[in-house]
Amino acid sequence: MDPAEPRVFRHERVHNQVDRGILEAFRRSSVDGPYPYPLGWVTVRAEARAETV
């Protein structure tokens, strides 16, 4: 069985990837990272915003 493709969220300078139960958070402008977190430690809060043109 082939492993599932990682789930990826990108927005501006932030890149988050979930792969095999681990969330990795990257910042494009930072030399630090990635920061790996087990999914059991993660809470997600989503906020809707108006799209700017």
Side-chain angles (χ1 to χ4, degrees), residues 5-50:
E5 289 290 319
R7 305 265 180 175
V8 176
F9 170 78
R10 292 184 193 110
H11 179 70
E12 295 179 3
R13 296 182 304 229
V14 177
H15 173 104
N16 294 322
Q17 175 176 305
V18 177
D19 189 18
R20 290 175 268 168
I22 300 293
L23 170 74
E24 291 185 281
F26 302 84
R27 288 183 182 236
R28 293 184 192 180
S29 62
S30 176
V31 294
D32 297 332
Y35 301 102
Y37 303 98
L39 286 180
W41 295 5
V42 177
T43 301
V44 176
R45 183 180 132 196
E47 181 179 313
R49 294 186 179 184

